[in-house]
Amino acid sequence: MMIKRIFRSMLLVSAIVLALGFAMTMGILYQYFGGELKQQMKKEAEYLAAGVEIQGIDYLNKISGDQGRITLINNDGEILFDNTADKSQMENHKDREEFIEAVEKGTGDAERVSKTLSEKTVYYAVRLSDGQVLRVSDTQYTVLALISGLIQPLCYVILAMLVLAGIFAFKLSKKIVGPINQLDLENPAENKAYDEIAPLLTKINSQQHEIRKQLSEAKRQQEEFSIITENMQEGLLVIDLHTVVLSWNSSALKILGAEENPGKESIFALNRSEKFRRAVETALSGRHATAELELNGRNCQVISNPVLRNGHVQGAVILVVDITEKMQRENLRREFTANVSHELKTPLTSISGFAEIIQDGYVKPEDVKRFAGNIFRESQRLITLVGDIIKISQMDEGSVPYEKENTDIYQVVKDVFASLQGAADASGVHLYLEGGHLKYTTVKPVLTEIIYNLCDNGIKYNIQGGSVTVTIRPGEENNIEMTIADTGVGIQKEEQQRVFERFYRVDKSHSKEIGGTGLGLSIVKHGAAYLGIKLKLDSTPGQGTMVTLSLPGELKNK
Ligand code: ADP
């Protein structure tokens, strides 16, 4: 573009210079030829005048007429002689310019353009001594005629010069533009092309600096944004008005089960369900929407919000949250509540039944004691049950109302044994404690509860003459390891996981008979999770059960 412009202006200048030069040359040439002609005519006139002075008009008659026109005029302007025309046909010449001038000054000249314009007539007049005037005239080509005569050769010359000018202009413009084309705009300050463009380069330099600064700022913000969104567990998607995904984080893809980069696709490529579509479309119509979807067996919630600018919807932000665990927890709680109601209802129904019979007077006085015993047993069950429910709820919510304290584990087990001794004696089960006094910082009531429940089960599901052995020893990772082993009935392999569920009992009627609530191992599981204790259950039906507890943290003092 630039080369073209420079080339064109150069060519134009050359053409103008050429034309002017040409015109001036023509002018000079014309002047020169004109002068020559005049000089010649002057000489001729002088010769002729000298001849006429000596021989009179006869002299003129003698010379041939091919040397141009010769006219002799008397002092009144009448034609005495003319070698090219009939003198009687010619008008009086006294008002002709050259005649008047010659009469006055001795010589005179004039020139007149003829009708054709291509030639003009030049006159030169001399006054003779007797007052007559001798005039010679000749024609000279005008400039136009000169040009038309020279036109062809001139055209060749002009053409050749134009071609040359063109070549030079092209080469020159390339040479001028070359350094500009080679400018290193990445480092504008380091160019040394032309001083004239230095301010421009400085400007580019400072602008480039500014652009780089803004770019790095934008990049930093982008990185910040992606760090934030990438660390979000919630899926985040930003779409435009045409549902094309503009931004996304990997959680979104994970939750929606999409594997690849969504690129510039519609968000509907990620999920085609009707509910999802409706939530997205509602947001794009300017309103907030939520939807719950089931994806590959997981539940997720979609929250979509419109993005407004100047009151117009520009797109939408869509948040996808995996709520599977939340729903599972809710289901568990619902189930638990239902179970609790059921578990509470059974003893209450018995209590109410016994009380009603007594009230109606159907019970003989000697049986009242037995009935009261039943009522007492059932209320005890209720109290235990409510106590267990409270414990579970507390640990579930993480709101255990106790502090950590330095605890002697050995002493804890001894205390548990003391409170279970009666039950153990009644079942004919021996209790053994092995290991030493290891101190450990923990929430003592929770740990006690765990050990109590495990030992209680060891006694309950044992055989006459069996035993429960608790061992305390330093673990492999310099922590404390504890085992509670019994020689009881054991648990079938397929039941081993389920026994930790709330209200789960292997043998419901037997458990009830011996005062189980189905919550014991559930409390153990929750308590262990609360204290960070690892639990392991090994059991062989008919041989016994062993539960291993790995207490976390380093053992400080022995
Ligand atoms: P429960 O109050 O019925 O004892 P748990 O949650 O403590 O409830 O135990 C759940 C079930 O696991 C019990 O009903 C019992 O069948 C079984 N179980 C628990 N501990 C033992 C054990 N040491 N030996 C055999 N079976 C056990």
Side-chain angles (χ1 to χ4, degrees):
M1 193 59 210
M2 192 165 167
I3 290 188
K4 234 180 181 173
R5 278 178 78 162
I6 294 179
F7 174 72
R8 247 192 269 153
S9 10
M10 276 188 168
L11 210 59
L12 189 70
V13 169
S14 316
I16 290 171
V17 168
L18 213 62
L20 278 176
F22 175 63
M24 274 155 81
T25 313
M26 288 315 266
I28 290 167
L29 277 181
Y30 182 68
Q31 282 291 314
Y32 174 75
F33 287 134
E36 280 289 287
L37 187 68
K38 231 179 234 169
Q39 211 57 42
Q40 231 176 354
M41 284 167 71
K42 199 175 161 189
K43 266 192 198 140
E44 193 191 346
E46 275 162 7
Y47 277 129
L48 288 173
V52 174
E53 293 276 15
I54 300 165
Q55 300 182 16
I57 200 164
D58 290 344
Y59 175 73
L60 292 176
N61 282 327
K62 274 189 272 176
I63 52 169
S64 57
D66 62 340
Q67 285 176 332
R69 188 175 176 189
I70 304 163
T71 317
L72 188 66
I73 311 161
N74 76 358
N75 40 12
D76 289 330
E78 272 168 39
I79 311 295
L80 301 176
F81 173 88
D82 192 281
N83 66 341
T84 54
D86 185 357
K87 65 180 183 203
S88 57
Q89 301 289 311
M90 291 172 70
E91 56 192 55
N92 192 295
H93 268 40
K94 73 169 182 255
D95 51 355
R96 296 287 163 96
E97 213 180 314
E98 66 280 5
F99 176 77
I100 298 167
E101 207 184 327
V103 170
E104 276 176 14
K105 297 181 187 158
T107 62
D109 62 56
E111 44 191 62
R112 279 188 285 282
V113 177
S114 62
K115 280 182 204 110
T116 56
L117 281 181
S118 66
E119 41 181 58
K120 66 178 182 183
T121 314
V122 183
Y123 302 92
Y124 189 80
V126 185
R127 192 183 63 203
L128 305 179
S129 51
D130 55 0
Q132 291 179 349
V133 171
L134 179 81
R135 185 186 76 171
V136 291
S137 61
D138 209 340
T139 51
Q140 186 194 358
Y141 289 117
T142 56
V143 181
L144 270 178
L146 206 64
I147 291 176
S148 67
L150 288 174
I151 199 92
Q152 216 182 3
L154 269 177
C155 274
Y156 291 134
V157 172
I158 288 177
L159 210 69
M161 283 173 94
L162 273 178
V163 169
L164 272 179
I167 292 170
F168 282 128
F170 180 69
K171 287 216 160 144
L172 212 62
S173 42
K174 260 193 121 166
K175 208 174 159 188
I176 291 172
V177 174
I180 295 175
N181 278 342
Q182 278 163 11
L183 284 181
D184 177 10
L185 290 180
E186 287 300 308
N187 307 295
E190 279 158 35
N191 289 297
K192 298 195 169 46
Y194 294 115
D195 286 347
E196 287 81 352
I197 58 170
L200 181 71
L201 293 176
T202 315
K203 180 98 190 153
I204 291 176
N205 195 23
S206 74
Q207 274 179 355
Q208 233 168 40
H209 199 70
E210 186 64 19
I211 289 169
R212 275 200 204 110
K213 216 169 80 187
Q214 283 178 3
L215 262 180
S216 79
E217 174 67 10
K219 207 169 145 208
R220 194 185 60 74
Q221 278 180 359
Q222 171 77 33
E223 272 167 9
E224 227 170 67
F225 180 73
S226 69
I227 286 173
I228 293 170
T229 55
E230 278 309 308
N231 282 299
M232 274 168 63
Q233 273 180 353
E234 295 81 7
L236 182 79
L237 291 152
V238 181
I239 57 167
D240 69 5
L241 209 49
H242 310 290
T243 74
V244 173
V245 178
L246 301 178
S247 182
W248 47 271
N249 66 356
S250 32
S251 293
L253 301 192
K254 208 170 83 196
I255 296 172
L256 290 174
E259 269 151 33
E260 292 151 47
N261 180 339
K264 289 269 170 265
E265 268 182 64
S266 163
I267 193 169
F268 296 133
L270 300 177
N271 187 288
R272 297 185 192 279
S273 75
E274 181 56 32
K275 282 181 182 171
F276 186 69
R277 174 176 285 273
R278 224 178 300 135
V280 171
E281 280 168 358
T282 309
L284 287 180
S285 71
R287 278 171 294 125
H288 164 87
T290 58
E292 273 173 26
L293 310 175
E294 230 193 273
L295 289 168
N296 319 317
R298 295 192 75 80
N299 304 88
C300 81
Q301 189 177 30
V302 177
I303 305 162
S304 60
N305 279 300
V307 174
L308 300 172
R309 194 181 293 161
N310 303 330
H312 295 288
V313 180
Q314 302 285 318
V317 175
I318 289 139
L319 210 62
V320 195
V321 190
D322 189 334
I323 51 165
T324 316
E325 257 120 63
K326 194 177 144 210
M327 295 221 0
Q328 273 171 357
R329 256 201 318 273
E330 254 164 39
N331 282 344
L332 217 64
R333 196 162 290 156
R334 215 172 293 135
E335 217 172 87
F336 181 59
T337 315
N339 276 331
V340 165
S341 319
H342 179 77
E343 295 288 330
L344 290 176
K345 204 176 163 197
T346 321
L348 274 174
T349 312
S350 326
I351 290 170
S352 154
F354 288 131
E356 193 184 17
I357 299 169
I358 295 170
Q359 182 194 357
D360 291 349
Y362 292 130
V363 182
K364 293 183 220 139
E366 60 266 31
D367 286 337
V368 170
K369 201 174 167 199
R370 192 164 54 86
F371 271 71
N374 284 342
I375 292 175
F376 177 70
R377 220 180 32 255
E378 289 296 332
S379 339
Q380 281 304 312
R381 249 182 76 72
L382 265 180
I383 291 168
T384 319
L385 193 64
V386 170
D388 281 357
I389 291 167
I390 290 172
K391 282 175 212 152
I392 278 202
S393 305
Q394 277 176 347
M395 281 183 285
D396 216 9
E397 317 256 295
S399 62
V400 177
Y402 309 105
E403 294 283 315
K404 277 191 176 180
E405 58 189 294
N406 209 11
T407 311
D408 180 352
I409 310 265
Y410 191 86
Q411 193 55 48
V412 169
V413 182
K414 264 184 99 178
D415 293 345
V416 167
F417 275 9
S419 57
L420 283 172
Q421 197 59 57
D425 289 345
S427 313
V429 175
H430 302 282
L431 302 175
Y432 299 109
L433 172 56
E434 290 171 7
H437 288 269
L438 293 179
K439 291 265 179 74
Y440 185 66
T441 306
T442 188
V443 182
K444 192 175 168 189
V446 176
L447 185 67
T448 308
E449 192 65 42
I450 293 169
I451 297 170
Y452 180 93
N453 277 298
L454 289 172
C455 292
D456 186 33
N457 281 354
I459 297 164
K460 279 195 295 187
Y461 304 103
N462 216 318
I463 46 166
Q464 188 72 32
S467 67
V468 175
T469 311
V470 178
T471 320
I472 306 166
R473 56 166 182 272
E476 276 172 20
E477 287 152 27
N478 197 25
N479 59 343
I480 298 176
E481 207 164 82
M482 238 177 129
T483 51
I484 295 103
D486 65 54
T487 54
V489 295
I491 308 165
Q492 297 279 352
K493 190 102 196 131
E494 56 274 20
E495 308 273 7
Q496 287 180 9
Q497 268 308 309
R498 301 211 59 193
V499 290
F500 289 98
E501 286 173 21
R502 292 163 181 187
F503 297 112
Y504 187 83
R505 298 140 169 146
V506 176
D507 180 350
K508 212 162 171 127
S509 57
H510 178 64
S511 165
K512 248 188 181 162
E513 211 174 283
I514 54 178
T517 58
L519 289 174
L521 285 183
S522 216
I523 293 173
V524 169
K525 190 175 117 186
H526 274 81
Y530 182 77
L531 296 179
I533 294 173
K534 259 188 261 159
L535 267 182
K536 194 158 117 317
L537 181 99
D538 297 294
S539 188
T540 316
Q543 284 190 17
T545 305
M546 182 167 85
V547 178
T548 311
L549 307 178
S550 301
L551 280 57
E554 294 220 339
L555 193 56
K556 282 177 204 123
N557 48 354
K558 301 202 169 175

